[in-house]
């Protein structure tokens, strides 16, 4: 019975979740833009528009490995992400798009209001000393704050999938495309794959219109390793252990739990002898769960 329930839920899973950073913005080209234009209103450059069109073509090639596919978009409400989506969407016929949702919880990290260049340089230097994840910008957010709101978005996303609120026909491959920002995308991956704060600190930001493909493995787990190579993941800052985790997800049998694997435990626990002379009171399983 439980297996039947799992099968019923899995038939509505998207084949891919693709995270895309917006194209080059005026703020990326010239940091002084943030001193006069609100962050959420900063537009794409001409190069950013071209990058978005190219990303649309690339993503279309990724998902066109079958004849039956659909896409659903989630987009940050910022001008640069909405513009990026419009250009990406030109690669997809209207009949293949089952929905577009603006989602405020995947917006850019709040750095405060108008940003004074000299002051922001000093603040970002302080962030490097304090730690990128926990440092909170004055009148703004920390990466930890972004993690909290992205986590609630992820919970909503799962409900959309579980309850089939997207009205997805399971006979077709569903691809969720999330057009967002560099930090929001990194903490999305951190939350999804249960990466630690230390592991997050080593991740590199997405380039403009760069994307990551999370694709279902054979056992129903999403993994970066189905589409991306070890070399790509290493270039993004994933450690050998993180890459091993992605490869495990790609091939893990249904119902398996990575948190119980010895190499995963070793990243959290000091070395403990496997033979402690008291098998009946082994608390390792209790600690993990």
């Amino acid at each position: 019975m439980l297996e039947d329930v799992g099968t019923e839920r899995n038939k509505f899973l998207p084949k891919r979740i693709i995270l895309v950073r917006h194209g080059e913005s005026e703020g990326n080209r010239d940091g002084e833009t943030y001193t006069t234009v609100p962050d959420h209103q900063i537009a794409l450059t001409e190069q950013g528009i071209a990058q978005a069109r190219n990303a649309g073509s690339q993503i279309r090639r990724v998902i066109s490995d079958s004849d039956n596919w659909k896409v659903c978009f989630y987009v940050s409400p910022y001008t640069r992400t909405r513009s990026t989506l419009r250009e990406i969407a030109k690669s997809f016929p209207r009949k293949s798009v089952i929905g577009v949702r603006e989602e405020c919880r995947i917006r850019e990290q709040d750095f405060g209001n108008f940003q004074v260049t000299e002051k922001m340089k000093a603040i970002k230097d302080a962030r490097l000393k304090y730690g990128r994840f926990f440092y909170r910008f004055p009148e703004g957010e920390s990466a930890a704050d972004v993690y909290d709101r992205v986590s609630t978005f992820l919970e909503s996303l799962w409900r959309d999938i579980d309850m089939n609120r997207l009205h997805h026909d399971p006979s077709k491959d569903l691809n969720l495309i999330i057009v967002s920002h560099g930090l929001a995308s990194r903490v999305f991956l951190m939350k999804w794959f249960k990466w630690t704060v230390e592991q997050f600190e080593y991740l590199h930001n997405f380039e403009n219109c760069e994307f990551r493909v999370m694709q279902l493995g054979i056992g129903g787990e999403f993994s970066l390793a189905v589409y991306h190579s070890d070399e790509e993941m290493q270039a993004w800052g994933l450690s050998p252990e993180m890459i091993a985790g992605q490869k495990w997800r790609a091939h893990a049998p249904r119902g398996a739990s990575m948190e119980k694997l010895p190499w995963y435990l070793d990243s959290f626990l000091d070395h403990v002898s496997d033979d402690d002379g008291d098998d009946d009171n082994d608390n390792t399983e209790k600690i993990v769960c």
Side-chain angles (χ1 to χ4, degrees):
M1 179 63 72
L2 289 177
E3 185 172 345
D4 291 341
V5 172
T7 302
E8 181 68 20
R9 293 180 65 186
N10 286 333
K11 76 177 184 180
F12 293 118
L13 286 175
K15 181 174 182 178
R16 301 177 187 88
I17 300 175
I18 301 176
L19 304 173
V20 191
R21 186 188 176 197
H22 60 80
E24 181 190 71
S25 72
E26 296 289 353
N28 295 139
R29 177 168 289 184
D30 182 3
E32 292 290 333
T33 306
Y34 294 104
T35 66
T36 57
V37 182
D39 195 359
H40 64 278
Q41 293 179 1
I42 290 178
L44 293 181
T45 63
E46 288 299 319
Q47 179 172 329
I49 292 172
Q51 288 172 336
R53 288 178 183 169
N54 182 56
S57 298
Q58 290 181 324
I59 294 170
R60 171 71 182 267
R61 288 195 291 271
V62 170
I63 69 178
S64 297
D65 60 347
S66 69
D67 295 328
N68 295 316
W69 55 267
K70 295 288 185 180
V71 296
C72 181
F73 294 100
Y74 290 83
V75 62
S76 157
Y78 281 36
T79 296
R80 57 188 178 272
T81 42
R82 289 171 59 91
S83 297
T84 299
L85 170 58
R86 280 194 291 271
E87 299 304 321
I88 287 176
K90 290 177 181 178
S91 293
F92 300 92
R94 179 66 66 90
K95 66 180 181 180
S96 298
V97 180
I98 65 174
V100 178
R101 295 189 180 183
E102 182 176 285
E103 177 50 71
C104 195
R105 289 172 292 183
I106 57 173
R107 68 188 185 275
E108 176 65 288
Q109 180 180 9
D110 188 347
F111 298 107
N113 296 319
F114 294 108
Q115 301 168 28
V116 179
T117 305
E118 294 78 11
K119 184 177 179 180
M120 288 301 295
K121 183 180 184 305
I123 288 173
K124 290 182 178 180
D125 287 344
R127 178 179 61 172
L128 289 177
K129 296 177 182 178
Y130 192 88
R132 290 191 301 161
F133 189 75
F134 292 112
Y135 182 85
R136 178 176 286 116
F137 283 82
E139 301 180 357
E141 293 180 302
S142 66
D145 295 323
V146 179
Y147 179 95
D148 290 342
R149 58 174 162 84
V150 168
S151 295
T152 67
F153 162 68
L154 207 157
E155 292 166 3
S156 298
L157 184 66
W158 270 118
R159 287 195 294 272
D160 287 347
I161 294 170
D162 282 347
M163 301 176 69
N164 198 23
R165 290 174 176 166
L166 304 177
H167 306 292
H168 164 52
D169 178 354
S171 68
K172 301 182 183 298
D173 291 337
L174 175 60
N175 301 271
L176 302 184
I177 302 175
I178 301 174
V179 184
S180 184
H181 307 265
L183 180 74
S185 298
R186 279 180 285 148
V187 298
F188 182 100
L189 293 171
M190 177 188 179
K191 171 65 176 178
W192 191 288
F193 294 125
K194 301 178 183 177
W195 290 338
T196 66
V197 171
E198 181 180 7
Q199 290 169 328
F200 168 85
E201 295 280 358
Y202 287 101
L203 295 177
H204 303 311
N205 203 13
F206 292 32
E207 298 294 335
N208 291 119
C209 273
E210 192 174 27
F211 58 86
R212 308 282 189 264
V213 179
M214 301 164 54
Q215 186 163 325
L216 278 180
I218 60 175
E221 292 281 351
F222 286 93
S223 170
L224 294 168
V226 176
Y227 179 78
H228 297 291
S229 68
D230 290 12
E231 291 74 20
E232 284 180 300
M233 291 186 285
Q234 184 178 17
W236 300 335
L238 274 70
S239 67
E241 292 76 19
M242 295 164 76
I243 294 173
Q246 294 302 310
K247 296 171 79 170
W248 181 88
R249 284 176 170 272
H251 302 286
R254 192 176 305 280
S257 176
M258 185 175 71
E259 288 87 343
K260 298 177 183 178
L261 297 176
W263 62 263
Y264 185 87
L265 289 174
D266 288 345
S267 65
F268 291 95
L269 305 179
D270 292 333
H271 177 72
V272 178
S273 173
D274 291 333
D275 183 10
D276 60 5
D278 189 6
D279 293 339
D280 293 335
N281 294 315
D282 188 353
N283 291 323
T284 301
E285 186 77 10
K286 296 178 182 178
I287 293 172
V288 175
C289 298

